[in-house]
Amino acid sequence: MLDIKNINKKYKGEAVLQDLSFTLKAHEMLSILGRSGSGKTTLLKVLAGLETADRGQLLLDGQDLSPVPANQRGIVYLYQEALLFPHLDVFENVAFGLRLRHRPEAEIKKKVNALLQRLELPEQARKMPEQLSGGQRQRVAFGRALIIEPRVLLLDEPFGALDTETRRSMQQLLKRVSKDLGLTAIFVTHDLKEAMLMGDRLGMMQGGQLKIYGSRAEFIADESTGAREEARFWTDLHDLKLTK
Amino acid sequence: MQQRWAAYGGRSLFVLLSAVPIVAGVSYALLYSLGLTGVMAEGFTLAHWQEILGDAAFWRTLGFSLYVAAVSILIALGLSLALVLRSPQAFTKGELSFFIYLPLSIPAIVMAFFIFQLLGKGGWLSRVSHQLGLISALEQFPDWVNDNYGIGIIVAHVIMATPFFTIFFANLYQNERLGEYLHLAATLGANGRQRVFRVAVPVLLRRGLATVFLYFMFVMGSYEIPLLVGSQSVQMVSVRTIQRLQRYNLGDIPEAYAISVAYTVLVVVLLSGLLWYNRKQMGRT
C-alpha cells in the first residue's frame, strides 16, 4: 500500500503541492483529474523519486521512500510520450529493465516474448521505434515498464498524444492488462471521461491540493470536477434532438 | 517553372563551388602521379605509385595520422560527454557557455604555438617543474612536443575538439530530450553508470556519429599543428605531402601527388562506409 502524508513542494517560493495526503491500496488504480499546472506531474515525480518533497512522508508497504533513490523504488514513471530508446528495437526496449538486472538470456527471451504477445506486438519485435505507430509505441512503453513488475506504475497522461480511436483502444488495453496483472497505479489525466473510465477510485487536483472521492457518485456530485456540467451538456443535446 | 530553374541554379552553383574544384584538383594530382602532366612528365608510368606504396614510411605516415586522429577524438569525446552529462544546462546558458566558445575561436597555428610554449623542453610546464624541484635540468623534461607519439599534436587537438563536442552534445542533450530518457531509465532501475553507458552515450553518439566522423577526418588531415609540434621522423599525411611538394627535387612532386590521391581514396572509402552505415540505419527506421 502507498501511504502519502502531508507532502509539500515549492518552486521559487510558489507552492506546487500543499499538504497532500492519500493512500493507494495494492492492485488499485487511482485516477487523478487536473488541469495543466495543478501539480499532477510534480506529484508523480516526487513519488518516483525524480523530485524531492520539501516536507511530508512517503511510505510504500511501510517502507519510508524518502532516502530511497529513484532506481531502487520500483516505481516506474511513464511520460505522455512513449520515449522509446531510439538506439534499441522493440524487443530490446522491452527487455531493458531485465538487462539492467542482468537476468539470464533465456528468461529475458521468454518474458519479453510473452509480454509482446499480451500487448499484441509479436510481429514488431525487431522494428525500431520510428517504424511504429503512436499506439504501438505506447504499448511498447507499457511493456518496458511492466516487464520489471513495478510496485507502482505512474502514468502521466499516457494517451495525451494519441488520436481518439487509438486512445480508446489503448484505454481498453491498459484496463485489461491492469486487471490481469493486478497493477497498482496512479493515472493522471486532464480528460474527465478518461479519468472516470480508468480509475477504480477518483481524485481531483487543484492548486496543489488533492481531493480523493469516496465514490463515483461523490465525484460526479462535485461541481468542480465538471462531471455534472458534462452530463448536462449531453442531456440537453439529447433532449434537443428529441424535441426537433 | 521559375522555382524549378531556381532549384537547378542552386544545384549548379553548389556543384561549381564544391565538387568541381575538388574533382579538378584530384584529377590533376592523379595525372601528375601517373606521369601524364607536370614539368617532369615522360608519359604514363606507375613508378611513382610503386615507389610510395612500397615505402614503409608512407604506411607509417598513414597509420600515424589514423592513430593521432583516433586518440584525439576518443579523449575529446570522453571529456565532452563527461562535461555535458555532469552539467547539461551549463553549456547552453550562463558564463560557461561563453567561455567554452573561446578555444574554438583560436586558429590552429596559434594553438600549436601555445602548446609548444606549454609543453616544450623550454616551455612553461618544464620551467615550473624545474622551479618545483621535480627536475634538475630543463632537458630532463619529457618529450611532449616533436615526439614520436604525437603527444603535443594530440593535446592541441583535444583542447580544440573538446569545446566543439561539448557544445554539440549539450545541444543534442536538449534536442533529444535526454534528461527525460535518463529519468525514465532511473525509474526502470538504471543506476548512474547504466544511465550513462546504456542510454546517454548511445543516444548522443547515434545522433552525432556523422559529425564525430567528419571531425576525425579533419584531425587526420590537419597541417599546422603537426607541422609545429609534430615529429620529423614520423609525420602526418598533410605535412609529409607538403614537404615533398616543396622540395628542390622535382622528382618528388609526382610522389607527393600520389600520396594526396591515396589519402583522398582513403577518405572516400571511409566516407562511403559512413554513408552505408547511415543508409542502413535509415533502412531500419
Side-chain angles (χ1 to χ4, degrees):
Chain A
M1 188 173 80
L2 185 65
D3 195 2
I4 306 301
K5 292 176 182 170
N6 307 106
I7 291 292
N8 283 272
K9 175 82 182 168
K10 277 184 180 177
Y11 273 126
K12 293 174 185 169
E14 195 183 326
V16 185
L17 301 177
Q18 296 183 65
D19 282 327
L20 206 138
S21 300
F22 68 95
T23 57
L24 178 68
K25 288 184 219 146
H27 316 303
E28 183 182 47
M29 191 180 292
L30 170 68
S31 270
I32 298 178
L33 180 70
R35 291 192 187 134
S36 301
S38 61
K40 311 183 299 269
T41 297
T42 307
L43 168 65
L44 295 192
K45 287 191 169 176
V46 167
L47 296 180
L50 301 173
E51 301 267 1
T52 48
D54 300 332
R55 269 191 297 127
Q57 203 176 21
L58 290 91
L59 298 170
L60 182 57
D61 299 327
Q63 181 197 11
D64 182 10
L65 288 181
S66 309
V68 182
N71 64 313
Q72 289 170 22
R73 288 192 179 191
I75 298 179
V76 177
Y77 176 81
L78 290 185
Y79 285 82
Q80 183 173 357
E81 276 106 79
L83 289 181
L84 300 183
F85 299 121
H87 57 292
L88 301 177
D89 62 20
V90 168
F91 185 96
E92 287 304 323
N93 260 287
V94 176
F96 185 78
L98 297 179
R99 296 223 183 271
L100 294 178
R101 289 161 179 78
H102 308 292
R103 305 307 305 164
E105 192 60 36
E107 181 192 330
I108 292 176
K109 269 189 185 162
K110 193 178 161 195
K111 281 192 170 176
V112 173
N113 286 329
L115 196 55
L116 289 177
Q117 196 77 37
R118 189 188 280 274
L119 295 169
E120 300 157 18
L121 288 165
E123 288 86 28
Q124 323 297 335
R126 288 300 162 200
K127 286 191 177 168
M128 295 304 282
E130 293 93 335
Q131 292 175 287
L132 305 174
S133 67
Q136 286 173 329
R137 267 182 237 161
Q138 205 55 270
R139 269 186 274 167
V140 177
F142 282 146
R144 185 176 54 184
L146 297 177
I147 199 105
I148 60 165
E149 298 168 18
R151 296 164 84 188
V152 182
L153 186 61
L154 307 173
L155 302 128
D156 193 354
E157 307 210 28
F159 308 136
L162 302 178
D163 61 80
T164 317
E165 198 54 46
T166 314
R167 191 173 183 143
R168 197 173 301 141
S169 77
M170 287 300 296
Q171 287 164 346
Q172 286 164 358
L173 180 86
L174 178 63
K175 197 81 184 151
R176 193 173 66 237
V177 172
S178 160
K179 197 153 275 178
D180 291 352
L181 301 178
L183 289 181
T184 307
I186 298 178
F187 188 101
V188 152
T189 180
H190 63 262
D191 186 294
L192 174 67
K193 277 185 284 180
E194 190 168 74
M196 293 187 69
L197 184 75
M198 300 307 295
D200 301 315
R201 273 200 303 152
L202 297 160
M204 171 86 185
M205 198 140 181
Q206 258 177 328
Q209 291 180 318
L210 177 66
K211 184 178 178 185
I212 303 283
Y213 296 89
S215 67
R216 222 161 262 269
E218 205 181 300
F219 178 83
I220 294 167
D222 186 344
E223 281 289 347
S224 67
T225 64
R228 284 170 78 91
E229 195 185 329
E230 177 98 4
R232 267 197 302 274
F233 171 79
W234 290 109
T235 311
D236 290 350
L237 197 71
H238 183 256
D239 293 347
L240 195 69
K241 238 183 187 177
L242 288 181
T243 52
K244 267 196 172 178
Chain B
M1 191 66 182
Q2 208 171 8
Q3 273 183 336
R4 193 189 288 178
W5 279 112
Y8 282 139
R11 270 182 224 162
S12 306
L13 192 65
F14 173 76
V15 170
L16 203 69
L17 291 175
S18 61
V20 169
I22 294 171
V23 172
V26 173
S27 305
Y28 181 74
L30 181 66
L31 292 174
Y32 214 119
S33 69
L34 293 171
L36 296 171
T37 188
V39 283
M40 303 282 284
E42 290 174 349
F44 180 79
T45 174
L46 289 173
H48 306 302
W49 278 92
Q50 283 164 348
E51 176 69 27
I52 66 146
L53 294 177
D55 182 7
F58 165 73
W59 295 106
R60 229 182 6 256
T61 293
L62 216 53
F64 184 67
S65 301
L66 277 167
Y67 149 78
V68 166
V71 174
S72 306
I73 294 296
L74 280 176
I75 296 173
L77 278 180
L79 288 173
S80 54
L81 283 171
L83 285 170
V84 169
L85 293 175
R86 188 132 195 99
S87 332
Q89 311 288 335
F91 303 101
T92 49
K93 51 189 173 192
E95 285 172 5
L96 267 180
S97 66
F98 170 75
F99 286 113
I100 198 82
Y101 279 98
L102 273 181
L104 289 178
S105 57
I106 297 173
I109 191 80
V110 177
M111 182 59 77
F113 184 69
F114 168 68
I115 293 298
F116 196 85
Q117 291 293 319
L118 184 73
L119 302 180
K121 277 192 188 295
W124 300 330
L125 273 184
S126 171
R127 284 165 196 278
V128 169
S129 305
H130 186 247
Q131 288 297 318
L132 291 173
L134 298 172
I135 50 174
S136 53
L138 293 181
E139 291 72 38
Q140 286 178 343
F141 194 76
D143 291 323
W144 283 351
V145 290
N146 307 127
D147 63 302
N148 287 345
Y149 296 102
I151 294 173
I153 309 173
I154 290 169
V155 171
H157 278 303
V158 167
I159 293 175
M160 291 184 80
T162 302
F164 172 80
F165 285 129
T166 304
I167 293 165
F168 176 64
F169 287 134
N171 286 316
L172 265 188
Y173 190 102
Q174 309 296 334
N175 296 341
E176 296 296 316
R177 302 171 66 185
L178 193 59
E180 290 177 10
Y181 279 115
L182 295 176
H183 275 167
L184 176 74
T187 70
L188 288 168
N191 59 33
R193 194 181 160 79
Q194 287 171 325
R195 289 199 287 276
V196 169
F197 291 105
R198 286 182 181 264
V199 181
V201 172
V203 169
L204 290 176
L205 287 186
R206 185 174 186 265
R207 296 288 185 219
L209 185 69
T211 306
V212 171
F213 185 79
L214 290 174
Y215 204 102
F216 174 87
M217 303 305 300
F218 164 75
V219 174
M220 218 176 125
S222 63
Y223 176 68
E224 294 99 326
I225 290 174
L227 180 72
L228 203 62
V229 293
S231 161
Q232 280 302 307
S233 53
V234 195
Q235 293 173 318
M236 286 184 73
V237 171
S238 303
V239 177
R240 186 173 173 82
T241 309
I242 297 293
Q243 282 190 353
R244 286 213 156 204
L245 269 175
Q246 290 173 342
R247 276 186 194 169
Y248 288 112
N249 183 0
L250 294 177
D252 279 344
I253 296 178
E255 283 168 26
Y257 279 122
I259 293 173
S260 67
V261 173
Y263 178 69
T264 308
V265 170
L266 176 72
V267 169
V268 170
V269 168
L270 291 175
L271 273 176
S272 305
L274 176 71
L275 207 64
W276 171 80
Y277 177 79
N278 274 348
R279 286 222 173 126
K280 200 175 143 203
Q281 289 295 320
M282 295 283 280
R284 291 189 80 188
T285 60

